[in-house]
Amino acid sequence: MATQNSKNGNSVMVRICAFIVDKRNLFFLIYALLCIFSVIARGWVGVENDLAYYLPSDSETRQGLDIMEEQFVTYGSVKVMVANISYEQALFIKQDIESMEGVFSCDVDDTSDHYNNGSALFTITFNYDEKEEICLTLLDQVKNYFADYDCYISTTLGDIQAELIDKEMNVISVLVVIIVVLVLVLTSQAYAEVPVLLLTFGSAAIVQMGTNFLFGTISFVSNSVTIVLQLALSVDYAVILLNRYKEEREKLEAREACILALSKAIPEISGSSLTTMGGLIAMLFMQFGIGKDMGMVLIKAIILSLLSVFLLMPGIIMLFATLMDNTKHKNFVPQIPFVGKFAYLSRYIIAPLFVVVIIVAQRISSGTPYVYGYSRITPPLINDVQVAANMQKETFTADNMMALVFPSGDYDKEKLLISELENHHNVTQVTGLANTEALGGYTLTDKLTPRQFSELLDLDYEVAELVYAGYAVNDSDYAKVVNGLVNYRVPLIDMFMYVYQEVSEGYVTLDEELMKKLNDADRMMNFGKKQLQGEDYSRILVYTSLPEESDETFDFIKELHKITEKYYDEDKIFVVGESVSQYDLKKCFSRDNTVTSVISILAVLVVLLFTFKSAGMPVLLITVIQGCIWINFSFPAIMHDNLFFLGYLIVSSIQMGANIDYAIVIAGRYTELRETRGKREAIIDTMNLSFPTIITSGTMLAVAGILIGNMTSDCAIYGIGKCLGRGTIISIFVTMFVLPQILLVGDKIIELTAFVMNKPVQTKQLSGLMRIDGFVRGKIDGNVNGVVHAIVRGNISAYIDNEDVKLLSENADDPSDTSIAEQEGV
């Protein structure tokens, strides 16, 4: 083994690899414990389902949501549409629901908003904050009540949508594993190779899922697609190690072959992974936090896959070594010399044609119809939640609601603002404290004198005066007490809540009928105030007839700001809603699009510069893959197919980082073979040798993307899957049928832009009969520049690279040396 060490590279690396192979049982134990821990830890991972959560902290939506969470209570609610019932039946149901403990109200009336075409829409509001667990219990009670009806239920309570997506991804994962097994069987050389690869990646996937708890909370997108993408993106690493092992196994015993294969594969695999991570790193710089979230999760997945291949897979190979020897089968991957021949013949046609294609594709892809919400996308599957929401939208008019948040404390300003908004042609309804009806035609914020208050409640005027005097003292308004209370006006909601507090504390006593009226009023007013008024901010709900996402809607958001700025400071006004969230996402996209493109290209470029030690080769490869990206996103532009913007940001980064591996495989082989062969022979052999790796890895990633894109009900995941599958197929096609021609045409450019440092040339001065194996530059009785495998009789004055020179005789003229030459095969 010492001889092998000295002969085959870094002895330190070989010793490390020998430790990994010899201590394989230790690594089996470590991974077994990690897998057990990960199964338990998976339950610790929080999953965030709201895209708005990942908006930048300085975005309007994020700031508005933070204020609303701090200042207001959002009560749990559920909408239930019941088909095929009469209005009288709907009223009976309303009474039953409102009698449930914990239900605050059940709204239904005979207007088209609540009863239409034999269907009733019930808006049920619970008496608890939507974050409280009891809301889920009440939701179950509501579902049980309507179980026998033809009903459609929609709510923001719980994680029903996430659970449905999780089930879809479980099905997709199973199908991907089946496809992967089939691909591996067809592309492997022994049936026992399949369990080796599956065990390696199975363990990596389990550890990946379990270690996500380190991030605390991850997005539903990362939680859904990471495992499938982990398998598809990093399968190359295991395939590289396995192929290296099989090469070494032809000459060595299993242990030595495994050690040597690992020592050679580690640098190769590490280099390959850097391009993938280079593309993913670009996602970390996105303003939209879901890119950073997914980037971190996928980078961790790649690193864990690398560790699994380096530490666990060698032991698994040793475990299955004999079985792999005994289960060898026919190689199902065909030779494809026709591809290389076609490339050589068409090099001056395909290469310039591709330049034209990518220029056109860039122009077309710039017109891709990106959207920033789900309302304009139809996913391939419609789950139960979406069915219910769609049925409600089709039967009843659903206005687009926005919450307008502004400083509290001035009811008069609020009333003026509401009045102006109600007169806007795009506004259908406005709800705020200043226009919510209370009693006797008054609104909650109308200011009443003692006389008006006494008449409203049928209360003795003297008692009303005493209550107003107590309120004035409590409000430190002593002047009113001294100068008289006749014209003292107090907002109705404030006076009701003060009276209720005085009664509760025993300072005021009311008769039973008045007490009931006061209790009902306090209940209603508290409910409204907690939703619409906080300590520092108030909010009103603005309902508009505009669609959820359109240029007109985004213009209305700007107009809403301008109207509100007449009454409040600009920097203290926030509009929150689905439309505003999408408007913020649109603003993020223009910046993130540029950042991810530039950083992914730069990251991959750096890796390729060190890989190929040439400035020309990285530029050619990146141009090819960037061209594939433009072609990929030309399809939705041509078909006018709305694309969720996240699909572009994530897929373009993955495509640049992962698909470029296919180009590297071909370029690396061609560069290596070009040293000893002509262009034609080099490209033919390159395509034959590269095809198994590309078809194995590419098929898995393409299939994973296609399945994700066709078997999910979530529009974000649908867009990612569809673009990833299509993009990978395009990259495979281009690297197989266009890149070879580009390499042939750019051969001279690659050579001229190489920046390998030349070692000082040391010529050898030899004379006699000798055998030479190596690259020769100099004189052998004449100028020679090429690879020489020959017996030479004469004089040599030349530089010999990769030399193997054996002097057979110092007498070049001795005829007896002929026998020596014959012994050497000449």
Side-chain angles (χ1 to χ4, degrees), residues 342-352 679 740-742 744-745:
F342 169 76
Y344 187 77
L345 291 172
S346 62
R347 62 192 185 281
Y348 294 118
I349 299 172
I350 298 295
K679 288 183 180 181
Q741 288 89 328
I742 291 174
L744 289 166
V745 173

Side-chain angles (χ1 to χ4, degrees), residues 92-386:
F92 282 121
I93 291 173
K94 170 183 166 70
Q95 291 176 355
D96 287 344
I97 296 296
E98 286 187 331
S99 66
M100 287 184 183
E101 187 175 351
V103 173
F104 179 82
S105 64
C106 177
D107 296 332
V108 67
D109 53 45
D110 58 356
T111 65
S112 59
D113 290 338
H114 284 279
Y115 190 81
N116 189 30
N117 293 330
S119 298
L121 181 64
F122 300 89
T123 303
I124 303 167
T125 306
F126 301 137
N127 206 17
Y128 302 94
D129 190 306
E130 64 179 0
K131 295 190 288 291
E132 295 186 42
E133 286 292 324
I134 193 171
C135 286
L136 297 178
T137 304
L138 291 169
L139 177 61
D140 288 336
Q141 291 179 17
V142 169
K143 288 180 178 178
N144 291 334
Y145 178 87
F146 287 102
D148 296 330
Y149 290 92
D150 181 10
C151 67
Y152 302 90
I153 300 175
S154 65
T155 180
T156 57
L157 297 172
D159 292 326
I160 301 173
Q161 177 82 354
E163 291 170 7
L164 293 172
I165 293 172
D166 199 40
K167 289 178 182 176
E168 293 168 1
M169 293 310 301
N170 287 337
V171 174
I172 291 171
S173 297
V174 171
L175 291 175
V176 168
V177 169
I178 293 172
I179 297 295
V180 165
V181 171
L182 290 174
V183 171
L184 292 176
V185 167
L186 293 174
T187 57
S188 64
Q189 295 175 356
Y191 293 114
E193 292 176 18
V194 177
V196 171
L197 296 171
L198 291 181
L199 285 171
T200 301
F201 279 103
S203 60
I206 292 171
V207 175
Q208 161 64 10
M209 289 187 289
T211 53
N212 281 334
F213 82 93
L214 296 171
F215 300 125
T217 299
I218 62 174
S219 70
F220 72 96
V221 178
S222 299
N223 188 57
S224 300
V225 303
T226 298
I227 297 304
V228 175
L229 292 181
Q230 179 185 12
L231 173 62
L233 288 173
S234 53
V235 69
D236 281 354
Y237 313 149
V239 171
I240 289 170
L241 177 56
L242 198 57
N243 287 341
R244 283 287 186 184
Y245 168 77
K246 288 185 290 186
E247 289 175 15
E248 302 299 335
R249 185 70 179 92
E250 293 178 1
K251 303 171 287 184
L252 302 168
E253 292 298 318
R255 175 182 175 275
E256 284 71 22
C258 192
I259 292 170
L260 199 55
L262 183 59
S263 68
K264 291 180 177 179
I266 286 176
E268 185 178 353
I269 294 170
S270 299
S272 176
S273 68
L274 286 175
T275 55
T276 303
M277 285 195 278
L280 299 177
I281 285 170
M283 294 164 61
L284 302 182
F285 292 87
M286 286 170 55
Q287 273 190 319
F288 187 39
I290 208 166
K292 182 178 180 181
D293 173 83
M294 194 168 180
M296 289 191 302
V297 173
L298 279 173
I299 288 171
K300 178 168 70 70
I302 297 298
I303 292 172
L304 289 173
S305 295
L306 284 173
L307 291 174
S308 183
V309 170
F310 293 159
L311 302 177
L312 181 64
M313 188 175 173
I316 299 175
I317 289 175
M318 292 300 297
L319 204 62
F320 284 84
T322 304
L323 202 55
M324 281 194 285
D325 291 339
N326 296 333
T327 58
K328 289 183 179 179
H329 60 73
K330 178 186 174 183
N331 188 357
F332 298 114
V333 180
Q335 294 285 301
I336 52 168
F338 62 91
V339 174
K341 293 175 182 177
F342 169 76
Y344 187 77
L345 291 172
S346 62
R347 62 192 185 281
Y348 294 118
I349 299 172
I350 298 295
L353 183 62
F354 182 70
V355 173
V356 174
V357 168
I358 62 174
I359 291 172
V360 173
Q362 192 278 329
R363 297 297 299 273
I364 294 175
S365 64
S366 64
T368 300
Y370 296 110
V371 295
Y372 307 91
Y374 289 0
S375 60
R376 294 164 63 187
I377 302 176
T378 303
L381 299 182
I382 306 295
N383 62 41
D384 293 343
V385 173
Q386 292 165 330

